[in-house]
Amino acid sequence: MKSFILPCLLLFYLMAFGQIESTSKDSIQKALQLKEQMAAKSLVQHLKLKNIGPSVMSGRIVDLDVNPNNPIEFYAAYASGGLWYTNNNGTSFSPVMDSSQTQNIGDIAVHWKTGTIWVGTGENNASRSSYAGIGILKSTDQGKTWQNMGLQDSHHIGRILINNDNPNEVVIGVIGHLYSKNTARGIYKTIDGGKTWQKTLFISDTAGIIDVAQAPESFNVLYAAAWEKDRKAWDFLGSGNDSSIYKSTDGGNSWKKISNDGSGFPTGHGVGRIGLAVFDENTIYALLDNQNHREKTEESEEKSNELSKEDFKAMSEADFLKLDDKKLNAFLKTNNFQEKYRAENIKQMIRSGVAKPYDITKYLENANTVLFDTPVIGAEVYKSTDGGKTWKKQNEDFIDGLLYSYGYYFGEIRVDPNDVNKIYLGGVPIIKSADAGKTYTSINGDNVHADHHALWVNPKMPGHLINGNDGGINISYDDGANWIKNNSPSVGQFYAINVDNQEPYHVYGGLQDNGVWEGPHNAEENSKWHQTGHYPWKSLMGGDGMQIQIDSRNHNTVYTGYQFGNYYRIDKNTEKRHYIQPKHELGENPYRFNWQTPILLSPHNQDILYLGGNKLHRSMNQGDDWEVISPDLTHGGKKGNVAYGTLTTLSESPFTFGVLYTGSDDGLVNVSKDGGAHWENIIKNIDLSQFAALKKVQKEASLWVSRVVASKHKKERVYLALNGYRWDDFTPYIFKSDDYGKTWATISTGIPNSPVNVIIEDPENENLLFVGTDNGLYTSFNQGFSWESLQNGMPNVAVHDLVIQPEAKHLLIGTHGRSIYKADISALQKMTPELLKKELVVFELDDIKHSKNWGNPPGSWVKANTPGLDITFYSAQPNSYEAVIKSDESIIVSETELKADKGLNVLSYDLSFTDSGKAAYEKKNKIDLKSAKDGKTYLTKGTYTVHLKGKGNQSEVSFTIE
């Protein structure tokens, strides 16, 4: 029998949960300034990152602002993908916020007469990946430049209203921090364009403003929805006594609560998120997420013939043994009990005392069932016709299937400006009512994604709708009967990515609410597929896409799945899926699986698969059978409605089979050196009190372990990243150990404050590391002693995952908001300590295949194919250089002068002769070189040398045109 040895710390869980401090606004501002400084002087500022898509599945929209006089012109705000502009009805979009310090948005407002744009940063939906913002941004030049107008500690913005008659008068609803209490929430107002702000409504440090709406004919009459909530990593209370509706009759200068006892609108602890829609000064609709439990109804005379898990809670053994086997088997099969648990077997277990009827219920219950099985009232629509004095509930029946169990994620209600009785509700589907909310029909078309967060109703053209959801943008001109999809921006929200080794290699990714996709790394993102019908990326499965492992022997065997550990082995050839989630035994507590459950194929044997729940599971046969090889490697979970006390990251040493590392969401890191027979907690060896946010923590901080990575270069080395996002602690926590975790060195110094999601080690250069945070990408050439910003071509977006394709020497960057980027890191891999001591180094160049078609378009209306060569070099200091290209006959075919920055530089050469170079080459070889149709004369086949020299330093490298 295996013995599991863990420190007594697991038995005496003394962590001080509430004592992790959120990051101050001053620290965040300093971090943003540091990030800009790092980018300006980065050694890799000239290394470009290329976006490779995909775009078709899009990402979560949070708001739309449409020009009322020209509705083909509008802005689309993505939760973590920035702000995009179209003036051709969504046929194409341009990003207008890429120069800003964040891509995270809660709401936008545009004053169309002046072109002024306001962006409230920090998403308004309180989801597990709703990122904080940096305050209020303003642009007066259509998004070319941005200015931070304050409210930096707001984190999340609910709504922005501009007085159309006075664009300097702006009212903003601030939700506030997501995971911590703060007072920078409520209603803020400016009358000088954001130079100064006045807080005109404050309710409490846990209740912010999720929505604000104005009477169409008067900016003086405003309504605001307050929302009290408390989100933790293990629990989410999405309602509270302070959730209520307020009214202002003086443009937001003062407010009065109008959803009081006796008003007809619910009050109390069960009041959740509220959305508002105002038809006129007196007519208001409110969509409420009512978290109060439903009243029990009288049992029907004929009780349902189907069993439920509740039936077994108080069932006696005698009554259980009397159950009809067919009826019991139907229940067991429907609820995915293991095959061995069938009626005859379980009855025998009951008879022998091995199990009790309650174990059937226990087998099915976990944090997710608590969330999804709770019978709350859910969505309700209320209407007032007297300016909010009294309210009447409109829906006659429960509006089931709209919000399900996560009403906190929705809250959009709209009223047709021309029809007081026509309203629209956004939830999982989008639905409409023509009778003021009494009855509803769905308008969620076949090409419309679920989960709706924004809707614009054209006041001048009935039936014209623009909708934003988790899958991008849809437009309808017939009131939702038919929809156009408008998804050209690459704004995918990736949780995880991976690559295979086929040629060309493919990239795989799991996305928020958009499943798992696969596509070639060199696929072009364009609209050609609209003609051919073949989009280069293919969907492998739906749901919230999670981690992916690909069999290195056969890329057609893929392991992936959706949230909470629902994983499959997929055969891409046959398109068959085999469900492989490990199952607990009857009588045991159910395994706990994280939202993003970690899986790992062993580098030593691709038949061996690891999967982390709260325990570590191992399969020796591709997931067909499982064995538990650990005790609970977490602190044991906490009471709440979110799965917690789960493993979040796994790693196995490539040197030795069975040297395993695990990390959990509640702050534990464990290592086993014998395949799981024994385990040791190694995070206790880190003194976390060295960090300001953790000084008050008594023992171990319950920080989310985002990565633990066994080194590819030294068997004792391991890297560790912790993440404080779920405490609003944005400190970067990164560590390195060279002795299996017995001692640790902090290696995050120099990285600006932002939670760390991923760290990886280069497979060729042991000194080369890459780190992804909630606000960007960094690299180190000295194992983390110092860091460089690696951001050229990519905005300040959350980086969730990183992977290196070793043969191609490509770094793939999975972002949560701007899809996937790719970088050629072959030059970085050569930046060893020895190279960095040199003054000038030109890196090796690939040979080039010659083409007679260079510069010659194949047709009159087709662009010519033109070659290019990027000459990458390292300069130890800023310098001016002369670049000379010579043929193998020492003829200078091209030359130029350039200025170089300290670090990596790139000289782009179009492979053409200069006029003097062409003349010299023709004279030497007694030939006439023919110019291409684009006017350039391109180099002929042969070997050429690049000479770079300046201030006494020189370096050269050759390349061949074949």
Side-chain angles (χ1 to χ4, degrees), residues 6 66 93 141 175 218 262 310 446 456 465 487 505 515 521 533 551 561 684 828 862 873 895 906 908 930 952:
L6 286 175
V66 184
F93 288 86
D141 53 13
I175 305 169
S218 174
E310 302 300 319
D446 293 337
W456 180 77
L465 309 173
N487 286 353
Y505 72 85
H521 76 94
D551 194 319
K684 62 183 174 60
L828 303 189
V862 183
F873 64 97
E895 58 186 329
V906 179
S908 295
K930 185 178 180 181

Side-chain angles (χ1 to χ4, degrees), residues 20 156 235 296 355 384 457 500 577 593 626 630 683 709-710 740 786 806 820 889 923 959:
I20 296 177
H156 300 273
D235 194 29
K296 291 183 179 180
S384 174
V457 182
D500 63 23
R577 301 177 188 172
F593 296 104
W626 293 95
S630 80
I683 200 168
V709 181
Y740 297 105
S786 62
I820 301 173
E889 300 164 311
K923 182 177 180 181
F959 66 95

